[in-house]
Amino acid sequence: MSAGKKILWMLIGVALTLVLICGLCAPLVLLGSAFQSVSAPSPTVSGPAVALVRLEGVIMSGEPPANPFMDASTAAYSGYIVKQLKWAEQEETVKAVVLRIDSPGGSVVAAHEIHQQVAAMSKPVVVSMGELAASGGYYVAAPADVIFANPDTLTGSIGVIAQFLDLSDFLADYGITATTIKSGKFKDSGSVFRPMTEEEKATWQTIIDEAYEGFVKVVAEGRRLSVAEVKALADGRVYTGRQAKELKLVDELGNLPDAIRKAGELGGIPGEPEVIEYREPFDLLRQLLRAMPSSDPLTRIVSALRRAQSPILQYLYLAP
C-alpha cells in the first residue's frame, strides 16, 4: 500500500472516531441538560428545619461554569451561594440557616455579594467554620448572628491582596519582546512584560487601602467592635479558633453539630432540628468529565498566566 493511501485511511479512521465520540456524547449532553433544567430544590421535611448551606473552596463570582469541561467542584460561586440563601429565606419550613465555611477567601466582589445576602437574611444565620475560614471566608461570616469555630480552625487573615507577575527577565533570556500600543500611561499597568513603576505601585496601593478599609468596617459592624480594635488585629495574619474567640472574632468553639443545634435554638425549634441541604442539580456528563484526569501541567500553567494578566482584588489567604 502506498504512503498516500495509508495517510488517507488514517484520516478516515480519525474522522470515524470523532463521529463515534460525538454520537456517544450527544445523549449524555441531552441527559445532563435535562437534569440541569431543575431550577430549585423541593426539600421534604416533616417539620421546622435548619437549612445547611456550604461555602467550600475559593470564592468566585457568578454561577458554576456551564462548560462541563471546567471543574467547578473546588470553588464557591457567589451566585449559587446567594441563591441557596434566598431559597432558605423563602422556604417556610426553614427557621434558621447554618453557613458552613471552609475557604481561604477569594474575589472581593464575590465575597461582598455573599456578605450582603447574609446581612439581609431575616432568619437567624449561624456560621460553622471548618479547617479554614480566612480572609474572604471570614468576610462573609462577619454579619452572622453567631459564629462557631473549631479550636484549631484557621481564621482571620483580614486584608486585601492583588498580585502581578513580572516575566520580563525570563522572556528576555529567550529573546522574547512585546510591543505595547496604549492610550495612557496606566493602560498596561501590571503587564507581565515589564516591571511595575513606583507610580503604578502607589496607584494600586490606594485601591488596596480602599478595599481594606471596607473589610475593616464590615468586621467592626458585624462583630460590634470599634474600627481601632479591628485594625489592631487586621494585619493579614491568621488566628486559631481559640485565639479568634479571645479576640471576639468568633462567638463559640464547636463543630457543625453544635452550630446546627444553636441555629435550631435561635429558630425556635424544640429538640434536635431537621436539616435540609441544597445541592446543585445532578449532571451525568459533568460528573463523568470530572472523573477524567486533569489537564496536563503545561495547560494549567498557561491558564494561570492568563488569569494573572487580569488581576483582581482578593480577600485571599495565601497558605505557605
Side-chain angles (χ1 to χ4, degrees):
M1 183 181 294
S2 66
K5 287 185 176 180
K6 287 183 179 179
I7 294 174
L8 177 61
W9 280 110
M10 288 175 62
L11 292 174
I12 292 174
V14 170
L16 290 174
T17 301
L18 291 173
V19 170
L20 180 61
I21 291 173
C22 290
L24 291 174
C25 286
L28 295 177
V29 172
L30 292 174
L31 184 57
S33 299
F35 280 116
Q36 284 188 324
S37 64
V38 180
S39 58
S42 299
T44 302
V45 291
S46 59
V50 169
L52 174 59
V53 176
R54 297 183 184 272
L55 192 162
E56 299 173 337
V58 176
I59 301 172
M60 301 180 69
S61 294
E63 299 281 348
N67 181 358
F69 292 94
M70 295 178 65
D71 187 359
S73 61
T74 58
Y77 287 86
S78 60
Y80 189 59
I81 301 297
V82 169
K83 188 183 296 182
Q84 292 181 75
L85 291 171
K86 287 183 176 179
W87 285 338
E89 179 76 1
Q90 296 164 4
E91 181 67 40
E92 292 184 5
T93 57
V94 171
K95 304 303 179 184
V97 178
V98 170
L99 182 61
R100 174 69 171 181
I101 301 175
D102 202 335
S103 171
S107 159
V108 165
V109 172
H112 181 71
E113 291 172 348
I114 299 171
H115 167 273
Q116 289 293 88
Q117 182 57 42
V118 173
M121 299 289 286
S122 65
K123 298 176 181 179
V125 178
V126 176
V127 163
S128 168
M129 294 179 171
E131 296 277 354
L132 182 65
S135 203
Y138 185 78
Y139 185 98
V140 301
D145 295 285
V146 180
I147 300 177
F148 278 81
N150 181 279
D152 296 308
T153 293
L154 289 181
T155 188
S157 186
I158 299 170
V160 192
I161 189 171
Q163 292 186 310
F164 304 86
L165 286 177
D166 175 10
L167 301 180
S168 55
D169 290 340
F170 172 79
L171 296 174
D173 289 341
Y174 289 88
I176 301 172
T177 59
T179 300
T180 303
I181 311 298
K182 55 186 179 179
S183 59
K185 63 180 180 179
F186 292 110
K187 190 60 180 175
D188 67 335
S189 178
S191 168
V192 300
F193 298 112
R194 64 172 179 81
M196 292 185 77
T197 66
E198 292 304 315
E199 191 175 9
E200 288 171 331
K201 291 178 183 178
T203 299
W204 272 97
Q205 188 63 57
T206 300
I207 295 171
I208 294 293
D209 292 344
E210 182 180 312
Y212 171 76
E213 292 294 333
F215 198 157
V216 168
K217 182 179 179 182
V218 159
V219 175
E221 291 177 350
R223 301 303 304 161
R224 298 178 180 83
L225 299 170
S226 70
V227 169
E229 287 177 306
V230 176
K231 284 190 174 182
L233 52 86
D235 57 6
R237 77 181 71 182
V238 290
Y239 301 98
T240 65
R242 297 181 190 88
Q243 294 170 337
K245 187 174 186 300
E246 292 177 3
L247 295 169
K248 301 179 182 178
L249 291 176
V250 306
D251 298 293
E252 302 287 347
L253 297 181
N255 296 308
L256 181 58
D258 303 303
I260 291 172
R261 281 192 290 271
K262 184 63 176 180
E265 176 187 321
L266 294 178
I269 303 174
E272 196 73 17
E274 289 192 69
V275 178
I276 63 173
E277 186 171 355
Y278 304 115
R279 296 185 182 279
E280 63 179 318
F282 178 76
D283 183 330
L284 179 59
L285 177 58
R286 188 185 302 276
Q287 298 305 319
L288 289 175
L289 291 171
R290 283 179 180 174
M292 294 181 179
S294 60
S295 57
D296 63 275
L298 180 59
T299 300
R300 293 198 293 271
I301 292 173
V302 171
S303 177
L305 290 175
R306 285 175 178 170
R307 290 195 299 272
Q309 286 183 297
S310 301
I312 59 173
L313 294 181
Q314 298 183 90
Y315 296 139
L316 182 64
Y317 168 61
L318 298 175

